[in-house]
Amino acid sequence: HCAPAQSDYHSRVAKKKDSNGLAYFTHEVNGRLYGGWYRKARNLQVEVIARGKRRSADLGRMNPEERARRLLEEIVLSLTPSANDR
């Protein structure tokens, strides 16, 4: 029996929340695995903290996990230099 992959480990950790209601999660963006913390905020919003940034957005028709992944993707892409900047 081999050890679980790193992403499998993070999937299990994501089910645990800290005392502030923050849950750890991971998401792959452009072939790289990133992690962050999210929680459901007031007024049907989700808040994500990752890579030194905090963002929140309305849930809309998404579940909190889906919205958190999208916000993490936005954070990562906003910090990644575009091909034009190189």
Side-chain angles (χ1 to χ4, degrees):
H1 182 50
C2 62
Q6 186 74 11
S7 60
D8 293 339
Y9 172 76
H10 287 304
S11 294
R12 280 183 277 160
V13 173
K15 295 177 186 353
K16 295 183 180 180
K17 293 185 179 181
D18 75 358
S19 61
N20 293 317
L22 290 166
Y24 184 74
F25 72 105
T26 59
H27 181 56
E28 188 175 312
V29 180
N30 294 334
R32 297 188 70 183
L33 190 63
Y34 294 91
W37 295 88
Y38 81 93
R39 68 175 162 205
K40 284 177 60 176
R42 288 182 241 143
N43 302 327
L44 297 174
Q45 288 194 328
V46 69
E47 179 179 59
V48 170
I49 302 167
R51 307 205 32 102
K53 303 287 182 186
R54 187 183 86 189
R55 296 229 175 131
S56 60
D58 292 332
L59 285 172
R61 294 180 178 230
M62 293 183 204
N63 66 43
E65 293 80 13
E66 279 181 291
R67 193 64 178 122
R69 286 190 295 269
R70 295 267 177 100
L71 284 172
L72 176 60
E73 198 168 308
E74 289 175 18
I75 290 170
V76 168
L77 294 176
S78 75
L79 297 172
T80 306
S82 70
N84 295 333
D85 295 338
R86 294 182 192 155

